[in-house]
Amino acid sequence: MAGRKRWSTEEILDAAAELLSTSDADSFSVRKLAAALGTDSSSLYRHFRSKTELLRAVADRILLAAMDEHRPEGDWKQRITVLALCMREAFGRQPQLAAVWARYASSGTGSRLVMEEVLQALRESGLPDEEIPVRYHRLAILIAALIASEAGTSTVSPEEREQGMELFRVAVLGADPERFPALAHFARDVRPLGVDRRTAFEEILDAQLAGIEADVRADQPTRPASGADPAVRPVPRAGRGRA
């Protein structure tokens, strides 16, 4: 009697990604994956110690795909923006996995490549090294939140989307102006969450990067005016927490 097929790690990840494309992380299980592969759960645990480790590996492959498409160019802001858009595009092709990444993160090669690229770009920005880890963390949270949020809207069916739009119009345009005066005033211009996502993504990210750039410029020594004493040094800004 022939034994069961031995699945490779890549084949297991392919099957997991396929299963996740039609379900979510909550309903996904190693048992269901094993059944889809025609094997038992114990054989999969030889490759991954837990469901969480497996999900992180699936998410990491999306990051690897994003890095394969990424071509660093331009200044530090452009490098981060292009990378973020590559990640958005990669998760856009498998939106169910965006929620997996946002929840479970990843610790594989893809994650390390993304971290390396963003950290290098932040060093080029002129930020002092002691501030870079915090800035990186804020950018990572922002990008993950934007991608996961957008993925959530992209998995909605056309019927559900139309129903949601109708409910939005009723809720906004029908708002009582006495109770919701600001909402009533802007009702015709307020846009639903699912509209113009790419532009919103780029503008929100650009605002974060512009804030970093402004802080870097504010911290740079001011060139003394003509006739000023060059020995007088500018007073550093308060609240930066540097020694």
Side-chain angles (χ1 to χ4, degrees):
M1 181 177 177
R4 288 181 174 178
K5 177 180 177 179
R6 290 181 178 273
W7 298 95
S8 69
T9 298
E10 288 304 309
E11 289 172 327
I12 293 170
L13 290 175
D14 285 339
E18 179 65 25
L19 195 58
L20 283 162
S21 69
T22 57
S23 62
D24 55 31
D26 291 329
S27 60
F28 175 87
S29 70
V30 176
R31 179 182 57 79
K32 289 181 180 179
L33 177 59
L37 290 169
T39 187
D40 58 88
S41 300
S42 61
S43 66
L44 303 185
Y45 284 120
R46 297 190 189 103
H47 296 265
F48 303 98
R49 291 171 294 181
S50 66
K51 168 185 169 179
T52 298
E53 185 176 291
L54 173 58
L55 290 173
R56 283 175 172 165
V58 174
D60 197 68
R61 296 213 311 177
I62 305 296
L63 297 180
L64 279 172
M67 290 305 297
D68 284 343
E69 299 170 0
H70 179 52
R71 299 293 180 268
E73 58 182 21
D75 63 14
W76 68 273
K77 291 194 300 180
Q78 290 173 310
R79 286 178 61 179
I80 293 175
T81 299
V82 170
L83 174 59
L85 290 173
C86 283
M87 293 168 63
R88 175 184 178 272
E89 182 72 21
F91 279 110
R93 291 191 289 268
Q94 293 183 283
Q96 288 86 349
L97 297 181
V100 171
W101 172 57
R103 178 184 299 184
Y104 295 98
S106 118
S107 55
T109 301
S111 177
R112 289 193 289 270
L113 287 171
V114 169
M115 293 175 70
E116 177 68 18
E117 174 64 12
V118 176
L119 289 169
Q120 282 192 18
L122 288 175
R123 293 194 82 175
E124 288 185 8
S125 73
L127 279 172
D129 281 359
E130 63 267 23
E131 289 193 17
I132 288 177
V134 172
R135 297 288 189 164
Y136 165 80
H137 185 243
R138 291 174 182 172
L139 280 171
I141 290 175
L142 177 64
I143 293 171
L146 290 173
I147 290 175
S149 172
E150 186 168 354
T153 63
S154 66
T155 57
V156 175
S157 69
E159 294 77 15
E160 290 174 319
R161 182 175 293 106
E162 181 55 37
Q163 183 182 34
M165 290 291 289
E166 181 60 27
L167 291 172
F168 177 83
R169 286 191 287 267
V170 170
V172 174
L173 295 176
D176 180 357
E178 292 188 2
R179 187 176 181 185
F180 307 102
L183 179 56
H185 178 78
F186 293 106
R188 296 191 179 279
D189 298 313
V190 173
R191 311 181 76 183
L193 291 176
V195 174
D196 206 11
R197 301 288 300 207
R198 180 184 172 109
T199 299
F201 184 99
E202 293 185 32
E203 289 181 352
I204 293 169
L205 179 59
D206 184 64
Q208 181 72 11
L209 298 178
I212 295 175
E213 185 175 50
D215 284 346
V216 170
R217 288 178 175 173
D219 279 348
Q220 290 176 345
T222 304
R223 183 175 299 174
S226 177
D229 185 353
V232 177
R233 304 178 65 182
V235 178
R237 292 192 306 150
R240 299 294 290 176
R242 296 194 203 151

